[in-house]
Amino acid sequence: MTDMTENKAQIVKPKVSRDDWIMRIAMIAIGILLVVGIILPLFTMLSKSFENDDGAFVGLANYIEFFATPALFNSIFNSLYIAIIASVVVLSVSFMYAYALTRTCMPFKWFFKLIALIPLLTPSLLSGISLVYWFGNQGVAKDMLMGESIYGPIGVVIGSSYWVFPHALMIIITALSIADARLYEAADALRTSKIKTFFTVTLPGAKYGLISAAFVVFTLVFTDFGVPKVIGGNFNVLATDIYKQVIGQQNFQMGAVVSVVLLAPAVLAFVVDRIVQKKQVALLSAKAVVLIPKPDAKRDWFFFGFCLAIAAIIIGMIGMAQYAALVTFWPYNLELSLANYDFDLMDGGGWEAFYNSIEMSLYSAFFGTIIIFFGAYLVQKGRGFEIGRGIFQMIAIVPLAVPGMVLGLAYIFFFNAPWNGLGEMIYGTMAILVLVTITHFYTVCHLTSVTALQQMDNEFESVSASLKAPFYKTFGRVTVPVCSPAILDVSMYLFLNAMTTVSAVVFLYSSDTTLASVAVLNMDDAGDIAPAAAMAMMIAYTCICARIIHAISSYLMQRHFQAWRRR
Amino acid sequence: MSEKTYLKIDNVVKNFGDFTALNDVSMSVNEGEFVCFLGPSGCGKTTLLRAVAGLDIQTTGSINQAGLDISALPPSERDFGIVFQSYALFPNMTIRKNIAYGLENRKMPKPEIEKRVDELLDTIGLPDQGNKYPAQLSGGQQQRVALARAIATNPGLLLLDEPLSALDARVRTHLRHEIKSLQQKLGVTTIMVTHDQEEALTMADRIVVMNHGVIEQIGTPMEIYRHPTTAFVADFIGTMNFMEGEVIGDHKVNVGGCELSVKEDIDFKTGDRIHVAIRPEDIVAIEDGKRDDNGMHVTIKHLEFLGSFFRAELTGGPLGGNAIEADFSINLSRRIELAVGNEIEVRLPKKHIRLFPVEG
């Protein structure tokens, strides 16, 4: 025994350099922020669902009550029902739209691409409001529904389909753009019919993209709060139930139970999607020849007509919201005025809410980008400390699976708890809104950063170390400039989402920190639908401006860096 | 080059989970020496280089550099310059800035940095390209810049990780020569990892042939080529004919019924199964009619024209079913008619025949 240990060569324990220490400490700091921002709140919420009003442990009693109350229990089916229908609708439409953009030679592609992104610039509430004006009790096209009411599943499906459309579209466009032209040439050479080529080459190639899009759409609709809140009427879904239980009845325990029920399928969809996406990576690595579509008049005009129809619907949605916002008093006085923009006269927070929103979005974009990108860098380029990096990577993925409503409620439980000193400091302030927003949208930004960092030569860090450059010098002088397009994208994503999000912040704002999106919700709730539309449009204008600034700065940056990007 | 040991690697083992990438590797590099780690992909040569650099520190074993135990040190505390296959030039910095990067970290005064960069730009033959960005240079030029950046701070050890693999053949040959003469001029101890035997043979003072995480042989290019000590080295470097046979007596082997005399006296016993190996270029066509020194009558089964010589596949005669490759010069082809189906006389000189044990 002693012989054995003596013979066994000693394992080299690498010396941890100063850089390594700084990086590890920084990573742990961001990791703790994530734990506080997502893990602890979720955990608190989970334990709340097993407690009664007084905080005593009651086991599954709350769950039994949930499943025994038909009004609550039925919401599961309602949520599933609209999520499935909306998924089918959105997937078919966005597949055709993406196909038109990537595989045909139809004219005005740039226009259709631009239009398709409009729903990203508005809160999901806007589509609900717009539908009220189109098909509501005093709607202009009410008769088209042939007696059916828009307040219910029909409205929820249409409204949801509208706002999740660009999310699905972007994924499918990516899937369709990686086609290998050689496969089509081979199919052609073998005299395969176009239909057969479509089913044997095109569809299998886009398979993973479609599955991924399906999960995204399903999860977004299943957990969405804005659309069913505005247009759902008496049609209850899980997300609105949480709101009603918490805000309406102050029944926090039941809110926690519904949250867990809402979280379960979202987590399931998320896990399956992760597995599917892992497979797609293998597919992408093959070196492909880019497919350039050839003109085909019949096909091109068919898809042009299709895209035109979809574009018309999108413009109709946002156009109606804009029109309604400008009409003085619908439907009696159709004269245009800015009366509805006089937010200070209505409940909901007034102009202050709008400025708060901008402030909150800027903070979220600024701090969020710094924290998330730096965190991704530490995980991706750190040396050693594999366990710590692995754990960080796992925690960073969690927020994607957590619906905004659930996160918001979890924050109440955690930060408003009497034992939580930190909560006392930030509860009801701008800080908690910024924290919840950064956390809520963490994962997509993290993955974008990781992708950008992965495209950078790993040897930069090795070379820097051999040249005795501290890591932060290379980070500042090489990593950040080279990744600047991705960094800009991340900050834009955070800003737009912070402007439009309702779900997480609806539980956390205080009278001093009302947000524009919450104001839309509250004004709509109070029956001030036109001002709600006007406020939603204010958000849209802001997002459009941000987009334009983003485009200009991207362009300028590209020109500035052109020297080293191109030959 | 001196005989003083500069780098000493002792019993280095590197495990990645269950996989052993380096299995008890020991060797040393002399001061000013140019050593190549050569081997097929996955043989552990890059792992060994990264252990020397501290980029992937070995599981067990020690590494000494200039008398200092550096086994556990992070790369930033070791003394080396490194060049990668991917160049790893900072894309957003000019050539000058790239080269100056390491100098700035030494707190060198600005005018001195400028002077040193000019000097290095001259050395690599790119005096006017300093203000360009890496993407504006060709691959070969970029690799020169990477080299300049690596030697800018006068490191004691230069590490080259497949520096030429990304370049096309012509540039590669040229740069091979340049790197070698620069290394000699600077006298910097250098380790280069490569899978290209020609690169290793032409550049290295000594070659370390590796396979499956162990060192197969260490020696000068000539030794490695002429006297491979294992079948793997014989096969990996150059071309080698292998035939299975049996020892039938003192300096006599039997290969598929054909009796050959061998010179090599390694301790094989009569009856041992062995690999009999000979390089194609060592097989000689008999023109004087003397059938001594393993002379035999064979048939040309296949003939390949390779520009400066012919490679013939020989069979029949005493070879029986065995087929061996032989290289014949163009000159010879003018004297003897080389054509598929022709019968010729060849000699397998016994001094060139090598024997290796059959594994297992």
Side-chain angles (χ1 to χ4, degrees), chain B residues 121-143:
Chain B
L121 282 170
D122 270 342
T123 310
I124 56 168
L126 300 170
D128 319 317
Q129 316 277 333
N131 291 320
K132 286 191 177 169
Y133 288 96
Q136 293 167 303
L137 301 186
S138 72
Q141 289 172 325
Q142 288 188 54
Q143 198 53 292

Side-chain angles (χ1 to χ4, degrees), chain A residues 12 15 457 468 473 477 564, chain B residues 59 72 77-78 86 92:
Chain A
V12 178
K15 188 187 160 195
D457 199 329
K468 313 280 181 280
K473 182 179 170 185
R477 284 190 51 187
W564 55 269
Chain B
T59 315
E77 292 174 31
R78 300 187 186 202
S86 62
N92 58 326

